[in-house]
C-alpha cells in the first residue's frame, strides 16, 4: 500500500503537466498568426468558460506546417484557405461537429461559399479573419527617396530600377512564397498555378536580383518597423499596414493597379488535438458577433462574421482599406492552392531566395 502511495506521488507531476496548469485537463493549445487576436478575448474566454488557453504564434506558413507535423498536439490552428486542400488530403484536420457550433449562423455566406471550393461542405474550417495583400507606403518618405510621385504599382517592388531608388528608406517583402510569387507572376502577366515550373524558377531569379534592394524578407518585423517609420514601402497583409497608420505614421495601404490576392484564414481542429470538445467551444465563442468585432477592432483585419458589423465602430467599419470597396474587390482574387509539383519548385527557390543558395 505504502509502495503504491509512493508511486502515485512520483507520478503526480507528470499527470499535472499532462492535464494542464490547473491539473484539471481543462486547457487547449491554440496556434495562431502573430498579432491576430484581441488579448481581451482570450482572457474573457478563460473567465467565462474556465478553460485555460495555452497560446502560441507563428509568422509564416512554413512555421505552421512545421508545428503541425512536429508530433506536438494543438487543439486549434489557423491555416489559410489555400493550404486547406493539402491539410485535408493528408488527414491533418478533424471534421467539425456543426451541432456544437451554434454560432455558425453568424458567418458570412459569401465567404463560406468561396471556402467550399477548397473545403467541400465547409466540413473542416471556419473563416476567422481575411484580407488583401497590398503595399504599405509611407508616402512622404517614399516620395522623397523615389524623387517624385509614386505609381500605384507593384513595380515599386518588382522593377529593380524602382526598388533601387527606394532602398535607402527601407523596403521589404513578406516571407510568404505563395503571395510573393503569385504577385510577381501576375505583374508579369502570368499566373502562378498555370505557369510551367521553369517559368516559376525564372521568377525566382527575378526575386534573387531584387534582394540587394530589400532590407529584409520577413512577416513580423515589418509591423513595428512600419509603425516606427523605419520602412517606407512593404508588401503587407492589410491589418499589419493599417496598424502602422493607427500608430500615427503617414502610411497608406493600397491594392496596386495590377490587382492582388486575397487570403481567408480559418479556425481548424488539427488531428493531433487532445480536446476537440473544448476546441469546438473556443470556435463557437469566437464566432459570437461581438467577439468577432472585438478581434477586428484590435487586429484591423476584416472578419468572417456577417453579424459582427453592427458591433464595429462606424469609423472602423468605413475605414478605407479594411473592407475593400467594390472597385478594389474587382482587382482581387483568392490565392489558389498550388499543385504538388509546383510546391516543390516553390520551396526550393524560396529557400534559395531567403538563404542565398
Ligand atoms: N499578422 C499576421 C497576419 C496573417 C495574415 N494572414 C496570412 C495569410 C498567409 N497566407
Amino acid at each position: 500500500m505504502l509502495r503504491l502511495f509512493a508511486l502515485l506521488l512520483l507520478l503526480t507531476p507528470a499527470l499535472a503537466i499532462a492535464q494542464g496548469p490547473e491539473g484539471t485537463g481543462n486547457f487547449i493549445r491554440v496556434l495562431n498568426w502573430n498579432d491576430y487576436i484581441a488579448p481581451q478575448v482570450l482572457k474573457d474566454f478563460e473567465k467565462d468558460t474556465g478553460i485555460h488557453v495555452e497560446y502560441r504564434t507563428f509568422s509564416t506558413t512554413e512555421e505552421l506546417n512545421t508545428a503541425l507535423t512536429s508530433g506536438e498536439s494543438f487543439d486549434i490552428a489557423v491555416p489559410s484557405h489555400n493550404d486547406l486542400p493539402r491539410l485535408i488530403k493528408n488527414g491533418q484536420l478533424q471534421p467539425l461537429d456543426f451541432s456544437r457550433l451554434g454560432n455558425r449562423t453568424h458567418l458570412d455566406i459569401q465567404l463560406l461559399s468561396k471556402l467550399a471550393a477548397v473545403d467541400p461542405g465547409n466540413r473542416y474550417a471556419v473563416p476567422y479573419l481575411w484580407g488583401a495583400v497590398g503595399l504599405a507606403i509611407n508616402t512622404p518618405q517614399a516620395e522623397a527617396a523615389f524623387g517624385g510621385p509614386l505609381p500605384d504599382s507593384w513595380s515599386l517592388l518588382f522593377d529593380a530600377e524602382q526598388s533601387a531608388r527606394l532602398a535607402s528608406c527601407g523596403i521589404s517583402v513578406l516571407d510568404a512564397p505563395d503571395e510573393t510569387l503569385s504577385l510577381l507572376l501576375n505583374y508579369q502577366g502570368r499566373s502562378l498555378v498555370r505557369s510551367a515550373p521553369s517559368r516559376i524558377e525564372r521568377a525566382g531569379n527575378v526575386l534573387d536580383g531584387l534582394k540587394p534592394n530589400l532590407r529584409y524578407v520577413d512577416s513580423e518585423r515589418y509591423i513595428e518597423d512600419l509603425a516606427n517609420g523605419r520602412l517606407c514601402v512593404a508588401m503587407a497583409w492589410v491589418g499589419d499596414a493599417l496598424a502602422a497608420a493607427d500608430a500615427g505614421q503617414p502610411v497608406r495601404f493600397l491594392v496596386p493597379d495590377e490587382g492582388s490576392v486575397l487570403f481567408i484564414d480559418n479556425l481548424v481542429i488539427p488531428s493531433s488535438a487532445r480536446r476537440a470538445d473544448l476546441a469546438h467551444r473556443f470556435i463557437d465563442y469566437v464566432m459570437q458577433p461581438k467577439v468577432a468585432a472585438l478581434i477586428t477592432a484590435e487586429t484591423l483585419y476584416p472578419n468572417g462574421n456577417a453579424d459582427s458589423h453592427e458591433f464595429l465602430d462606424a469609423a472602423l467599419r468605413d475605414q478605407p482599406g479594411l473592407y475593400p470597396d467594390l472597385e478594389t474587390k474587382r482587382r482581387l482574387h483568392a490565392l489558389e492552392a498550388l499543385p504538388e509539383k509546383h510546391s516543390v519548385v516553390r520551396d526550393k527557390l524560396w529557400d534559395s531566395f531567403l538563404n542565398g543558395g
Side-chain angles (χ1 to χ4, degrees), residues 29-354:
R29 301 183 77 201
V30 174
L31 186 59
N32 195 1
W33 291 91
N34 61 286
D35 303 276
Y36 227 37
I37 191 87
Q40 190 59 41
V41 166
L42 296 178
K43 281 193 201 132
D44 291 348
F45 173 76
E46 291 191 328
K47 189 156 77 58
D48 294 354
T49 64
I51 301 166
H52 175 74
V53 178
E54 218 180 279
Y55 190 77
R56 265 184 40 192
T57 61
F58 59 91
S59 61
T60 66
T61 300
E62 193 189 357
E63 280 169 30
L64 169 66
N65 288 334
T66 304
L68 289 181
T69 49
S70 65
E72 271 187 272
S73 92
F74 294 97
D75 300 290
I76 296 283
V78 189
S80 303
H81 70 283
N82 50 317
D83 288 317
L84 291 174
R86 179 181 47 82
L87 294 170
I88 295 170
K89 180 166 160 258
N90 294 347
Q92 286 174 273
L93 305 182
Q94 300 192 21
L96 299 168
D97 177 352
F98 290 171
S99 71
R100 298 184 194 186
L101 300 176
N103 287 318
R104 269 189 101 250
T105 51
H106 299 298
L107 295 180
D108 182 329
I109 296 179
Q110 281 183 11
L111 223 48
L112 283 175
S113 88
K114 258 195 206 316
L115 269 178
V118 283
D119 170 21
N122 303 113
R123 285 185 67 218
Y124 292 93
V126 158
Y128 174 59
L129 298 175
W130 60 277
V133 184
L135 286 172
I137 302 184
N138 184 319
T139 311
Q141 284 183 4
E143 287 191 344
F146 197 72
L150 307 163
D152 281 2
S153 168
W154 287 111
S155 61
L156 292 176
L157 290 180
F158 295 142
D159 178 288
E161 188 269 325
Q162 292 191 20
S163 63
R165 278 153 75 186
L166 292 164
S168 62
C169 60
I171 61 180
S172 73
V173 302
L174 293 167
D175 184 356
D178 288 351
E179 278 90 332
T180 307
L181 288 167
S182 294
L183 293 169
L184 173 56
L185 280 152
N186 184 54
Y187 173 71
Q188 297 174 333
R190 311 260 163 191
S191 139
L192 173 59
V193 293
R194 278 169 279 284
S195 288
S198 57
R199 163 85 51 196
I200 303 175
E201 275 161 9
R202 286 208 292 283
N205 296 336
V206 172
L207 288 180
D208 290 339
L210 297 173
K211 192 107 183 259
N213 299 339
L214 301 177
R215 193 155 287 173
Y216 51 69
V217 181
D218 197 284
S219 302
E220 188 163 1
R221 202 172 142 194
Y222 84 112
I223 303 174
E224 212 182 308
D225 283 351
L226 277 174
N228 290 326
R230 288 194 292 260
L231 277 183
C232 63
V233 176
M235 178 191 295
W237 288 311
V238 57
D240 298 343
L242 297 181
D246 218 41
Q249 286 294 333
V251 169
R252 66 192 174 111
F253 175 77
L254 71 98
V255 170
D257 293 340
E258 300 90 354
S260 187
V261 289
L262 273 179
F263 57 87
I264 308 169
D265 293 330
N266 305 277
L267 300 170
V268 299
I269 306 181
S271 36
S272 64
R274 292 212 178 95
R275 295 302 306 263
D277 54 338
L278 305 187
H280 278 89
R281 289 188 61 191
F282 183 81
I283 295 175
D284 206 44
Y285 190 89
V286 169
M287 285 192 299
Q288 295 173 85
K290 249 189 181 167
V291 173
L294 203 63
I295 295 173
T296 288
E298 175 80 24
T299 62
L300 301 176
Y301 281 93
N303 64 58
N305 193 306
D307 295 334
S308 71
H309 293 216
E310 61 176 293
F311 297 103
L312 287 175
D313 274 357
L316 185 63
R317 212 173 37 222
D318 304 334
Q319 175 165 352
L322 179 63
Y323 284 92
D325 57 34
L326 217 59
E327 190 279 318
T328 310
K329 266 191 180 160
R330 274 196 212 106
R331 287 181 292 121
L332 291 168
H333 66 274
L335 272 170
E336 291 178 85
L338 271 197
E340 180 60 27
K341 71 171 185 258
H342 285 58
S343 341
V344 175
V345 179
R346 171 202 63 194
D347 293 347
K348 195 161 161 261
L349 76 80
W350 197 255
D351 183 54
S352 126
F353 176 52
L354 291 183

